[in-house]
Every structure is written in C-alpha cells, then in structure tokens.
Amino acid sequence: MVKSYLRYEPASAFGVIVSVEANITYDSSGKHLLAPSLEKVGVWHVRQGVCTKALSPSASSAGPSLAVTSIAASTSMIASGYADGSIRMWDCEKGSCETTLNGHGGAVCTLRYNKLGSLLASGSKDCDIIIWDVVGETGLYRLRGHRDQVTDVVFLDSSKKLISSSKDKYIRVWDLETQHCVQIVGGHHSEIWSIDTDIEERYLVAGSADPELRCYTIKHDFLDIKSLRAGGSTTVDDKREVLKLLGEVQRQTKDRVATVRFNKAGSLLACQVAGKIVEVFDVLDEASAKRKAKRRINRKKEKKSQKLMTEASENGDAVRDTLEENVPVVTAADVFKLLQTVRASKKICSISFCPVTPKNSLAMLALSLNNNLLEFYSIDTSGTNKTLAIELQGHRSDVRSVTLSSDNSLLMATSHSAVKFWNPSTGSCLRTIGSGYGLCGLILPQNKYALVGTKTGTLEVLDIGSGTCIEVVEAHGGSIRSILAIPNENRFVTGSADHDIKFWEYGIKQKPGQDSRHITVSNVNTMKMNDDVLAVSVSPDAQKIAVALLDCTVKVFFMDSLKLLHSLYGHKLPVFCMDISSDGDLIVTGSADKNLMIWGLDFGDRHKSIFAHSDSVMAVQFVRNTHYVFSVGKDRLVKYWDADKFELLLTLEGHHADIWCLAISSLGDFIVTGSHDRSIRRWDRTEEPFFIEEEKEKRLEQMFESDLDNDFGNKYIPKEEIPEEGAVALAGKKTQETLSACDSIIEALDLAETETERIAEYEEEKTKGKVTEFQPNYLMLGLSPSAFVLRALSNVQTSDLEQTLLTLPFSDTLKLLSYMTDWSQYPDKVELVSRVATFLLQIHYNQLVSTPSARPILSTLKEHLHEKVKERKDIIGFNLAAMDHLKQLMVMRSDALFQDAKAKLMEIRTRNTKREEARTDVGGEKRKKKKQKKSNDSNLHAIL
C-alpha cells in the first residue's frame, strides 16, 4: 500500500510593519495608511496604531516574486503592483481582490490614478507604461519609448496628457488622445527617480541624483488659445511644448532624491532623499512669487547702482542703460522656499502626505523607515513634531531565532536589540524586552522565565511576566550559538565560539537583601573543544550529546562521562544545525555545503547524503515521535523530508529572504520560521493527505510552466527597435492563463460544432420519419451550442481577453464570428460581442477581406450589431438624463444649491482680491521705478 502524508500549508505571517520595496500612501479619507508588508498590503488605522485589514493574495501564489513593489489609492479602489509584473485591484470596504491585471514583464515600479479614478497608469522595469481602464478592468494600450526602468508617472487631467520619468535621464510627455509622445525633456545629468505636479497643474518638479530639483511650468492647451487671442505669435514647437524649464532649487543634502510629492492643497512640497532627511518646501502663490522676484531684482539694482556710482563720470549713459535693462522674471527659487527639514532616526524608504490637513499644523507626513517602522510628523512653520510611531508589532532587524514553549502557547523571537514574545496562534505581540544581539533562546518550563544567548557571550535571564531582564551572566568569551534544555532535568547546555560547552543548573532562590524570589543559573561543568562550537544537540534520553565544530566534523559524547562515542565525517563545509530523533536512532545534520546528512546514532554510520537546498542549510529539526524532518535554508525555502525513505515530501514557499531559524510544535501540528525579511511565518498541518508521486508530478509541471513563462519573455530574443518618438502596443501579455482560456474556447467551439451536426442529422431523420429520441451531449451542460461557446468566452477574464483572442487560429475566429449575431440578442452581452468583434476585425482584417465565406457572416453581423449597440446607447443616455433630473430635484429640496453658490461666491471674491493686489503691486512698482530713476539722474548730475 502506498504511504500517504498530511500536507502543511501557510497559515499566517506576522512581524512585518512595512517592507522596503514599495511606497506607502494614505487612502482618500486620510484615516488609514496603506503600507506594503512583503506580499500583503497592510491597512493601518493611524490614530489607533493598529492594522485593521491585510490585503493578501491567494496562499498558493506566495513567494518572493509576489512582493508588493508599488501602491496607489483612489476613492474606492486600491491598486498594488507586484514583482512579477501583475497588478491587483482591491475593494477598500470588503478587502477583497476584484481583479488581477497582467501586462508587465518586470516588477511594477510606479502606479498612479487620474483624478476621477477611472484610469490607472503603471510603469515597470520592462521600460513600458500601460494605461488601464479601471471600470472595464482591462488594459487600453501600452506606451513604449523609455530606454530604462520607468520610475514615476503623473496624469495631467486638464489637458489629457501623461508625464513619465525614467532612469534613462529623460522625462516624456504623452498625449493620451493620440497615444504618442509629444515632448522629450532632457537636461538631467543622472537617473530621474521621481516627479510630481501640484493640484492646479501649474508646476512639475523632478528629482534625481543632481544636487538640485528641476522645476517646470506646465503649459495647457487653453493657455495657447488665450495667447493667440491676445495676438501673441507661437510656433509649432511652442504649441507642442507642454513643459518649460522654470529653474532649479538647490537641495541641502548630496544624497539622491527618492521621492518628491506635493500635498493635496499644493502648498507644500516634500523632497525625500535616499537617507534620513526629508526637505519640506513652501510653495508660494503667484502674487507672492512675483513680489519675491521684484525684491530680488531691486536688491540687484541697488547693489549695481552703488557699484557704478563709484566709477568714472564718462560711463553715465551706460549706467542708465544697465539699470533700465532688469525686468522681474519669476524663477523656481522665488516659488519654492525651504520651510522645514524632517530628520528620522533611520534611513527613509517612502513618504506620504495626509490628504486631510490637521487643525493645528500645515500638514501631516508619514514616513516608512528601513528598520520596519512607521513614523508620523506634523509640519508647522515653527518646526516639526513626531506625533506617532508604529513599532511594537515587529522587529527592527532580522529574526535570528524562534523558540516555542513546551505547551506551544508562547513563541519567543530574538533579534539584534530586542526579544519579543508572541502568541503563535493569533500573531499578536505580547511582550517586548530590550536585549543584546540574541542568537539563540530557551523558554523554561511553566513559561515564567526565558534564557537568551547573545553574540557578545552573555546569557540573559528574562522574566516573561514583568517583561524585564533579571540578570545578565558573563557566560562565554565568544558568541553563544546554541542553548538547549537537558530533558527531565533542571539543567541546560550552551555552546559557544570560545571552544567551550558549558553545563548549567537553574533554580528559584532568594538572593540576600531581596524580598522576592528569582531564578538563578550556575555553571556546573565545562567541556573544552578544539574548535568553535557551532551547534549542540542532546538526545531525548539525555544519554548522548552531539557537538558540531568549525572543522566540519560532528562529535558525539556520552553525557555522564563526556567521553567520545563517534566522530561523524563527511561534510565539506561547517555544520550549522543538527537534531536527534525522539527515539534516539537518527541524527540529521545540515551544513553550508547545502547538504543534509542522515546518520545512525548507534554506530555513527551515514545512511544518506541529500542535496537539500540551493544555499546553506540554516536549521533542521525532527517532528516529534516521527522520522519526518523539516529543513530551512538561505534559498528561502522550507522543505519537508522522510528520513526513512530519503524522499522530499513538500517544498513550502513564502519567505522573501534567507530563513535563519525553525521551531516545531510538540504535537507537530504547526511549524514556525523566522527570516531575514523580519517576518515570522506559521505553517499548519491540514487533514488533506498527499502522495510522494503526485508531488513529484506537480513539481515537474511547475518546472515546465516556469520554462514556458521564461520562453514568453526570453531575454535572448532580439527586441523590437522602438523609435525615438515612442510607440503604442497592446496592453496585455501572453501567460499560462491566456493559453488555457484559448484552449477552453477552441474546445467549446469543437464541441458546439459536433453538437450542431448531431442536431442537423436528427432533424433530417425526423423529416424522413425515422423518429428517435435525441440524446444531448452531457459535456454541453444542458446548453445550446451557441450558449455553450458564449459561456466559455464569458469565463475569460476581461484583462486577458485580447491576448486570448490573439492566440486563436483564423479558422476558429470564423466560427466565433458566426455565433455573434445570436449573441447580440442578449442585452447584457452586447458590450462583450462588440469588443470581441472589433478586435478580431482589427487583427484579421486582410484575411477576412480575402475570404469569401466571411462576407455573409460580416454583413449580417453589421446589420444586427449596429442596431443593438444603438439601442444600448439610447438606454444608457436615457438613464443618465433621468439621474441628472433626480439630482436636480434633490438639489431643489435641499440647501445644497445655496452651499454651491456660497462656495462660488467665495471663489470669485478671492480671485478679485488677488487681482487688486496684483494691480497695487504693479502701481507701487512703477512709482518706485520713477523715484529710483529720479534719484539716479540727480546723483549722476551731481557727479558730472
């Protein structure tokens, strides 16, 4: 009989507040902050400091390729881009994934919605920009032109344009109506990392590794019309020129710019560098900028006049000319004024302005730091103030060890500066205790005390209940690599890099001069080794102790006499981990040579050497009362083995970086792993059985599919040469899903054709008088041939439809077109039929024109489809008019009309006051000029 095993599956992941690969952003309400958390998007309630929701993709598709690399939010939807090039659209309220968009061949670097939230632009490492229809859940088109990774995109809603920046040092302006590049802006000396525009779309700011920010004024189409009406002469190049250089703003630091962002009001600009600093600039309005420019010009004039007064009298005419030349021109330095500098404790990864302005400050700024921390700062004219930090829910550095208590109710994790105690079932942090760099740990029975071995060689005794460190014992002269309890005794053993193995005893005693009783530890024995001790393991019967040394050997000693029993040779590199089975028969060792070796403990014979991981094996452990083994390594994988059959049972993917440690529950019902990505993951044993042969077949299928995916985007295939002005292409990409969808449509067409022939034969026999009962094909699910094909076509995801139809052969295209006249009778399918028919006509135009059999199909389709589309259009127009009428009725019943009128009145008043200020400024400037001219003339006359 074939042996079956129980499957382990990912259950939860915790410990990551924010990961460094992606940006953070607020939602439209300003109450929640969206932060990337490896493959999840965490929704944090800012005031409460808790994660209210986690937007996570399906567990089957977890792994490093699914790390979140970009986030954008609109009023109702959240978009997240991933390292595999996919984009997922999430519903804010439900927290569910609405659709998955596939189009990019590389990681998605930037996402940006337009103001209405109807369009989404995405830029990727594959140098392409894709415009997505959010409502239709499909890609509209792909914009090609950049020669390197696209770093940022921004919409110009007023003129229907898109601006993009790239590592190729250029900014491109794209016209979304004509779908081509209208302007290429150069001038940067290094890679451009971020761009942004203010809400009024007056200025665009670009940040790179240059020591200054470059600022551009944005020229809109309606401005060109005004200038033409005013009689201004504009060339063809001026009309196309959307961005015009305004000037440069000097930065305070030499680090490259990572992000530039305006706040929602457009009054502040934040410049985040690849360091610990964010520079916040005040954006002056037009009148203030003009006044500042005039003051600057006046200061220049005064300096120049004072200098020229001292010169000889024969240069008087020249002096007058130079003084009259200066005309006030607004530069970038006049518009952007440094307001505050925010300094964080660690390197900043991303920033985001809160869309809601607080009462007592100018803005609220959220920062994500590279040590798994979120900080919030309020910005005011007087300074900056840190209002909140979210830090307790995760470690500041990678998790170096995880230890479960004897009853599996408590999990201890150590890192470089703190020890955290977690509830392994819920993932909530219970205690945080400051410590040294913890490399190993042990929770003592009854869950009251814990021991931590540090990198400096100290042994820390922790009181879990009070959350304090009771005692720090100078245990070793080197780092403590292992700490293990001796079964059924109040003793434990430690192994260190100082070549010592020490045996300790612990007990509850009352120290002299203290009222309370505390745990005390004392050294009872020491064993000297010839080299650094890397790992220690004790047999369950406490009869043997195994020690792994730096010289690649494992030595087994008797516990009582400490005499050598076996020396295990075979590993080519040092052994980092080992474990002894519950029955004491087997010992398994994991090494930096990527191998697992299984040995018999009785005779020290090697049973098997297995090439287990593609990098160093970091932890290995038996499941209690079995010969099943779990191993983890630097290749980010968790592997499940049968040590009797020497077979790989399961490979568990999920971690995004090296896995350092592993802990298995006493019942074997779940395992916990800790990683360099700062996450702690729990994997649960399910009731689902599996067989080794089935898993082998699955792994082979996955390898085949990954090879297919590599063929789709083969880097050795010569790429299409893109012209300088850019090019347009289809938005989607060929994937396994599109191939499967194409196969299902072809299969449905073949089944429908066979069923149609059977029905025709039955009707013919019926006319001849041979009446027999017709037996429909059960594979048709009780549907007619036309409805069955329509069902297969409707099951294709909207975003994958174009790529699926591209894969369809021409013969099947004709069959598909023949059904469309019938499908157009269904009102809810008119849009789908129109889209499919239009696309098939575009890609097969020449063949359809030259195929006589296609003409009657197309002519009937033309008659019916135009009529049905017009019907749907009329219904939608009628409904829109009715809704507009209802809106007017509601406005008449409420005071909303007067509120709108009041807002309009206030807007007109502010506009008029600005005009009056500008007029007074111009008049005052003229008077100043006259006075200045008179004084200059009088001075010159006096000199002459």
Side-chain angles (χ1 to χ4, degrees), residues 593-664:
D593 61 8
K594 309 172 188 177
N595 290 328
L596 279 181
M597 289 193 182
I598 301 165
W599 316 75
L601 198 58
D602 290 337
F603 302 103
D605 56 324
R606 185 171 66 185
H607 292 184
K608 188 72 174 175
S609 176
I610 305 170
F611 183 73
H613 292 264
S614 59
D615 210 330
S616 303
V617 183
M618 299 309 296
V620 63
Q621 195 173 340
F622 278 101
V623 179
R624 194 173 180 183
N625 298 327
T626 68
H627 283 180
Y628 304 148
V629 180
F630 277 98
S631 67
V632 297
K634 284 188 177 181
D635 59 356
R636 309 173 181 181
L637 300 177
V638 181
K639 293 195 175 182
Y640 186 33
W641 307 87
D642 188 335
D644 291 331
K645 294 186 176 181
F646 317 122
E647 289 278 3
L648 174 64
L649 304 179
L650 282 177
T651 300
L652 304 174
E653 295 183 15
H655 279 289
H656 294 237
D658 306 350
I659 306 176
W660 294 118
C661 47
L662 163 73
I664 304 179

Side-chain angles (χ1 to χ4, degrees), residues 671-686:
I671 71 167
V672 179
T673 54
S675 168
H676 183 70
D677 61 14
R678 301 189 179 99
S679 71
I680 300 170
R681 291 178 185 266
R682 196 180 92 241
W683 317 77
D684 284 358
R685 186 173 63 197
T686 63

Side-chain angles (χ1 to χ4, degrees), residues 175-309:
D175 192 321
L176 298 181
E177 290 183 327
T178 57
Q179 298 169 18
H180 75 286
C181 180
V182 294
Q183 187 183 358
I184 302 171
V185 181
H188 284 276
H189 305 295
S190 58
E191 300 166 339
I192 305 169
W193 288 95
S194 184
I195 57 173
D196 200 23
T197 62
D198 61 332
I199 193 159
E200 295 177 0
E201 296 178 0
R202 295 178 300 159
Y203 307 112
L204 179 128
V205 179
S208 65
D210 300 344
E212 63 276 327
L213 295 172
R214 291 177 77 87
C215 307
Y216 301 87
T217 53
I218 301 170
K219 189 162 68 173
H220 302 281
D221 296 337
F222 60 83
L223 293 177
D224 294 339
I225 295 165
K226 283 182 183 178
S227 62
L228 286 169
R229 283 176 181 169
S233 61
T234 56
T235 62
V236 177
D237 291 335
D238 290 338
K239 286 182 183 178
R240 289 182 181 174
E241 195 177 68
V242 178
L243 299 179
K244 187 176 180 182
L245 184 64
L246 177 65
E248 296 173 347
V249 179
Q250 289 296 322
R251 299 192 288 113
Q252 305 295 310
T253 58
K254 294 180 181 178
D255 297 321
R256 73 163 178 86
V257 174
T259 314
V260 288
R261 287 291 179 267
F262 284 91
N263 66 340
K264 191 174 181 181
S267 58
L268 295 177
L269 171 72
C271 171
Q272 174 231 331
V273 300
K276 301 179 181 180
I277 289 175
V278 179
E279 296 172 16
V280 182
F281 295 88
D282 191 5
V283 184
L284 303 179
D285 57 6
E286 197 173 343
S288 303
K290 281 182 180 178
R291 283 198 296 271
K292 192 176 176 183
K294 286 168 188 174
R295 286 198 298 270
R296 177 172 49 79
I297 295 294
N298 288 337
R299 283 197 299 272
K300 273 190 181 179
K301 280 184 183 179
E302 286 172 10
K303 286 180 182 177
K304 212 175 247 186
S305 60
Q306 286 171 7
K307 188 178 178 183
L308 293 172
M309 291 302 174

